[in-house]
Amino acid sequence: MATPPKTPPSSSSASSGYSEGSIRVLKGLEPVKQRPGMYTRTDNPLHIIQEVLDNAADEALAGHGKKIKVTLHTDGSVSVEDDGRGIPFGLHPEEKAPVVELVYTRLHAGGKFDKGSGGAYSFSGGLHGVGVSVTNALSKRLEVATHREGSVARLAFSGGDVIEQLEVRKLEAGERKQGTTVRAWPDAKYFETAALPMGELTHLLRSKAVLMPGVSVTLVNEKTKETQQWLYKGGLSDYLMQTLNGDPVIPLFEGSGHADKNADNFAEGEGADWAVAFTEEGQPVRESYVNLIPTSAGGTHESGLRDGLFTAVKSFIELHSLLPKGVKLLPEDVFARASYVLSAKVLDPQFQGQIKERLNSRDAVRLVSSFVRPALELWLNQHVDYGRKLAELAIKAAQTRQRAGQKVEKRKGSGVAVLPGKLTDCESKDTSHNEVFLVEGDSAGGSAKMGRDKESQAILPLRGKVLNTWEVERDRLFANTEIHDISVAVGVDPHGPNDTPDMSGLRYGKICILSDADVDGSHIQVLLLTLFFRHFPKLIEAGHVYVAKPPLFRVDAPARGKKPASKVYALDEGELTATLDKLRKDGVREGAWSISRFKGLGEMSAEQLWETTLNPDTRRLMQVQLGRFDFTSTQGEITKLMGKGEAAARRELMELRADDVDIDV
C-alpha cells in the first residue's frame, strides 16, 4: 500500500495551521454573536432592551411622541411601544431592501448619522447605528410592527435573521395611526442571567419621564399584574427633590441654556438643563444624561458642570473677599457636597464604548460650563445670603482637606530620603488631589513639565527601559536608579502582598504611567506594571495606580457650516475611522482634512499634551485593577509573561493568541 508523500519541511503553513483560509470575515450580525461583550452588557439583557427604549425616547425628543409603554410578558419577552413616526418600511434607494429590515439586520444602519437640520433627528442618543441590530442579534425572536402613512407593516426575526418577511396592510378604523412596537425574546445563552434587574429598569424608565416633561412612560408587568406610570410636569428639580438625601443648605439652583443659531462654536440647540442642590450631609445624588442616554460613568458634560460651578463660586468668593488667608480653593471643594441631575444635548456625542456609559466629547466641557457659569454667577449675586452660605460650605471643605494633607506631611517630614533631583514636584501637599506622571523619555518629560498643572501634577522622567523586576529580590531593587527614584518619589517602600506597608508617607493619590502609544511604550508600561504588581501590590489594591492613554492621531478639520476649523484627537485606528466618518457626514470634502500621527509623546507640544493626556477634564486615564483573575491567578499569568525560564509558555501563548493582536511596529 502506497504511503502518502510527506510534506516538505519548507511548507510550514500547513503544519502551523495558519494559511489564507484561516482568515475569517464576519458578516452581518455575526460579530455581535461572536463577541457580544464588545457591543452590550452581558450580565443581563437590560441594555439590549434599553436600545429599543432609547429609540422610542429619541422619537419623543424629536417632538413626535407623547407616550412610551414597556410590557414585561409572562413568556419572558419584553415589548416597547411608542406613538412616534414609525420606522419607514419602503425600499432603501441603494440597498433595495425594506428600510425597517436594514435597521434591524445591519450594523451601522440608522437615521441618526446625519445630524442638524437635514437629518431625521437633530439630537439623539443613537450614534453608532448598531443599537437595535444588537438587540436583534442576541434575541431568540424579535417582532416589529410599524404604523405610518395609513398602513401597518410587520416582520419577525430569529437570531438576527428574517424568519417572517415584511407584510404590509392598510390600517383599519380604530387602529392607532402611527408608532412602533418592538417585542423581543432575549436569548439567555448570551447573558449571565436572563432576568431583568427591576430596580434598574424602573429607575431608567422614571429618568426618561423626568428628562421629557409631558411624556408619559408606563411599565406593565403581566406576571404581577402591576402597572406603574411616570409623568413629570416639573422636570429635573421635582425629581432631584424626591431623591435627595438630606436637606439643601440653599434653594435648588436650576437652569437651562442652549445655543441659538448665532452661536459661534456650538450648533443650534446644543446645551444643557440642570438642577443642583448642596447638602451638608448624606450621600450626594448624581445623575447625568446625554440626549436622554444615562451616562452612569459621567464624562465631559459632568466636568463642564463642575467647572461652571467652581468658577462661579470662586469669582463670588473673590468679589466679596471671603477666602481666609492660606486657604486654596479647588473644584472638588465646591463639588463635594453637590447633588445634581444634568441633561445635556450634544449634536454628535462621542461615547466611550458601545454601551455609552461615559461621554468623551471634549467640546462638552466648554458647552456645559459656558451656560452654567454665568447663570450661577448671576443667581449668587442676586441672592448674596445664599451665596455666602455656599461659599462657607466650600471653604469649610477646603480647610478640612488642607488639614488632612498637613497631618500626613508632618509624619513624612521625619524621613531621611532625599527626593530625586529629576522629579519636578507639585506645589500642593494634598495627597488626595496630587498626581505623579512617570514619563518615558526626557523630551516628553520636558513637554509634560511645561504643560502640567503645577499645583497638583508632578513629573518624573524615566530614562530608557525599566528593569524587569519580576525575579529581582526586594533588597536588590534599589541597585537600580530608576526604581529607587520611583519608590522615593512615591513615598512608599517596596513590599509583598501579605505585608502591611507604611502608607502614611504616600505623596500622590494617583501614580500615572505615561508612555508612547506604540510597541516600545507598551513594553515600558508592562515593565512598570510588573514592578507595581510585584513590589508595590498595596498601591494597586488601594486604587492608586493608573495608565494614561495618549492619542495616536491628530486630525486637522477645516471649517464646516457653523463649526470653525478644529483639531480632533483619536486614541487609535478605530477612533480615527469614526472621526473621518463624522467629518464626511458633516459634508467635509474627502481629503480636505490632514492627519498627523504622533510618533511619541516627545512630538507633542506642551499645550497638546495638556489637552489630550494631562487635563483631568479631557484625558483618558484608566485605573489599574485585577481583571477576571484573583491575585494568585494573576501572579501565574504574569510569571508566564515575565519569568526568565518561561520562554516555552510564552511561545505557546503566542501561537494560541497571535491572531488576536494588531501589532504596530
Side-chain angles (χ1 to χ4, degrees):
M1 196 173 85
T3 54
K6 286 183 179 169
T7 310
S10 59
S11 174
S12 58
S13 63
S15 58
S16 63
Y18 181 48
S19 62
E20 287 77 4
S22 309
I23 302 299
R24 196 166 151 212
V25 179
L26 298 177
K27 294 197 172 69
L29 297 178
E30 270 187 88
V32 184
K33 296 181 190 176
Q34 287 278 334
R35 299 279 185 273
M38 278 177 66
Y39 296 87
T40 188
R41 273 171 46 190
T42 51
D43 43 351
N44 61 63
L46 178 65
H47 188 259
I48 66 165
I49 300 303
Q50 188 187 321
E51 292 285 8
V52 182
L53 182 64
D54 288 344
N55 282 357
D58 283 339
E59 276 294 286
L61 183 63
H64 300 287
K66 285 286 177 198
K67 290 181 192 146
I68 297 172
K69 180 181 174 187
V70 177
T71 308
L72 306 178
H73 300 283
T74 46
D75 62 0
S77 65
V78 183
S79 62
V80 179
E81 190 180 317
D82 67 54
D83 59 347
R85 290 169 288 187
I87 302 170
F89 45 78
L91 289 184
H92 189 275
E94 290 159 19
E95 300 290 336
K96 306 296 183 236
V99 168
V100 63
E101 185 183 313
L102 293 176
V103 168
Y104 283 86
T105 56
R106 298 277 181 93
L107 293 173
H108 310 295
K112 295 164 193 174
F113 291 116
D114 301 321
K115 302 291 171 76
S117 53
Y121 296 87
S122 282
F123 294 93
S124 70
L127 169 75
H128 308 83
V130 304
V132 285
S133 45
V134 170
T135 310
N136 194 9
L138 305 181
S139 294
K140 283 184 286 196
R141 180 178 172 86
L142 185 135
E143 298 171 353
V144 185
T146 166
H147 301 69
R148 62 181 278 143
E149 296 163 357
S151 300
V152 55
R154 295 178 187 280
L155 76 167
F157 307 88
S158 175
D161 301 318
V162 180
I163 52 166
E164 291 172 24
Q165 292 296 333
L166 187 76
E167 215 176 86
V168 184
R169 64 170 175 79
K170 290 281 178 219
L171 285 170
E172 292 169 17
E175 275 195 280
R176 64 193 175 113
K177 294 283 179 282
Q178 61 177 51
T180 305
T181 303
V182 179
R183 184 168 175 179
W185 285 256
D187 194 335
K189 74 180 179 194
Y190 295 111
F191 304 97
E192 287 163 32
T193 167
L196 286 173
M198 290 307 293
E200 275 187 66
L201 177 64
T202 51
H203 180 265
L204 181 68
L205 296 176
R206 184 173 63 163
S207 65
K208 294 284 188 210
V210 170
L211 298 168
M212 299 185 291
V215 174
S216 81
V217 180
T218 310
L219 174 64
V220 178
N221 189 332
E222 286 184 352
K223 278 184 194 159
T224 60
K225 306 279 190 290
E226 280 180 286
T227 299
Q228 288 170 277
Q229 187 174 33
W230 297 273
L231 173 64
Y232 288 87
K233 293 276 196 285
L236 305 187
S237 53
D238 258 15
Y239 176 58
L240 184 59
M241 283 310 286
Q242 286 179 31
T243 47
L244 204 57
N245 305 312
D247 296 323
V249 178
I250 59 172
L252 249 61
F253 163 57
E254 60 176 316
S256 166
H258 296 87
D260 58 22
K261 58 176 180 290
N262 302 318
D264 288 339
N265 295 323
F266 302 112
E268 186 180 354
E270 282 194 306
D273 296 79
W274 63 85
V276 184
F278 293 93
T279 54
E280 276 193 282
E281 52 212 29
Q283 186 66 25
V285 175
R286 294 179 171 180
E287 290 186 23
S288 62
Y289 302 84
V290 173
N291 304 350
L292 308 198
I293 301 282
T295 40
S296 54
T300 46
H301 54 324
E302 284 192 11
S303 297
L305 178 69
R306 185 182 64 185
D307 184 64
L309 293 177
F310 171 64
T311 317
V313 172
K314 189 172 174 231
S315 73
F316 177 83
I317 287 173
E318 285 168 358
L319 182 68
H320 295 273
S321 308
L322 300 175
L323 198 65
K325 201 164 185 253
V327 175
K328 187 163 176 64
L329 206 63
L330 296 177
E332 203 41 51
D333 303 326
V334 176
F335 209 54
R337 298 304 322 151
S339 290
Y340 57 83
V341 183
L342 169 67
S343 173
K345 272 189 178 180
V346 179
L347 189 64
D348 261 316
Q350 288 181 321
F351 293 99
Q352 186 169 310
Q354 165 55 21
I355 59 173
K356 303 175 191 162
E357 287 182 320
R358 179 179 171 82
L359 181 72
N360 272 347
S361 309
R362 286 198 168 92
D363 290 346
V365 180
R366 238 171 354 107
L367 172 72
V368 177
S369 178
S370 68
F371 290 116
V372 171
R373 194 197 70 248
L376 182 57
E377 273 179 11
L378 182 65
W379 190 80
L380 291 174
N381 288 312
Q382 284 172 340
H383 308 88
V384 176
D385 288 351
Y386 294 147
R388 286 180 184 276
K389 274 189 179 171
L390 182 53
E392 220 174 277
L393 196 66
I395 290 165
K396 199 163 114 188
Q399 287 169 327
T400 309
R401 174 181 51 75
Q402 279 178 303
R403 273 199 301 274
Q406 280 156 1
K407 273 183 213 157
V408 174
E409 184 54 32
K410 277 186 190 125
R411 286 205 298 274
K412 289 190 309 212
S414 60
V416 290
V418 178
L419 290 176
K422 59 186 177 180
L423 172 73
T424 306
D425 211 354
C426 51
E427 292 166 8
S428 164
K429 303 295 179 204
D430 177 3
T431 317
S432 63
H433 187 60
N434 288 356
E435 310 172 334
V436 64
F437 286 85
L438 309 179
V439 184
E440 167 197 350
D442 282 345
S443 57
S447 291
K449 281 175 203 171
M450 286 160 63
R452 72 194 172 117
D453 171 5
K454 289 203 287 281
E455 169 64 29
S456 61
Q457 293 179 330
I459 307 293
L460 180 63
L462 303 173
R463 289 189 182 90
K465 293 274 166 74
V466 182
L467 184 71
N468 177 1
T469 54
W470 193 245
E471 290 171 3
V472 175
E473 291 298 322
R474 201 147 291 139
D475 54 4
R476 294 289 307 141
L477 271 182
F478 283 173
N480 180 281
T481 316
E482 302 293 328
I483 292 164
H484 172 270
D485 288 353
I486 290 170
S487 178
V488 173
V490 168
V492 175
D493 288 336
H495 52 270
N498 303 318
D499 299 345
T500 311
D502 177 11
M503 299 284 270
S504 66
L506 182 69
R507 304 182 65 250
Y508 306 99
K510 287 190 173 80
I511 299 153
C512 312
I513 299 169
L514 176 53
S515 59
D516 292 346
D518 60 9
V519 176
D520 276 347
S522 300
H523 190 196
I524 287 169
Q525 208 179 91
V526 167
L527 291 167
L528 284 168
L529 288 172
T530 303
L531 169 69
F532 285 117
F533 182 77
R534 183 57 135 193
H535 298 292
F536 298 89
K538 297 296 178 192
L539 288 177
I540 291 180
E541 200 178 296
H544 292 301
V545 182
Y546 292 78
V547 173
K549 306 283 283 179
L552 203 51
F553 301 99
R554 185 185 88 198
V555 181
D556 290 284
R560 53 212 185 276
K562 280 277 177 197
K563 293 186 177 177
S566 61
K567 291 181 177 61
V568 185
Y569 296 97
L571 201 61
D572 50 29
E573 298 274 1
E575 277 197 14
L576 179 66
T577 307
T579 303
L580 298 183
D581 280 350
K582 184 165 168 282
L583 291 176
R584 290 183 189 105
K585 298 285 184 305
D586 282 353
V588 178
R589 189 171 44 77
E590 191 73 33
W593 53 76
S594 68
I595 302 168
S596 331
R597 182 191 170 101
F598 294 112
K599 289 197 182 70
L601 295 167
E603 283 195 357
M604 286 193 193
S605 67
E607 192 184 341
Q608 288 171 337
L609 199 57
W610 164 255
E611 192 183 336
T612 60
T613 318
L614 300 175
N615 182 349
D617 290 335
T618 53
R619 68 189 178 191
R620 313 272 182 94
L621 201 59
M622 292 167 69
Q623 192 175 40
V624 177
Q625 297 166 320
L626 291 182
R628 54 203 169 97
F629 299 132
D630 59 13
F631 190 89
T632 316
S633 312
T634 305
Q635 215 166 2
E637 287 296 307
I638 299 183
T639 302
K640 228 187 265 181
L641 296 169
M642 306 302 288
K644 283 198 174 75
E646 296 289 334
R650 281 196 285 278
R651 182 194 168 103
E652 189 184 327
L653 192 69
M654 284 187 228
E655 286 172 351
L656 203 66
R657 308 305 296 259
D659 294 357
D660 299 353
V661 183
D662 280 334
I663 295 188
D664 175 20
V665 182

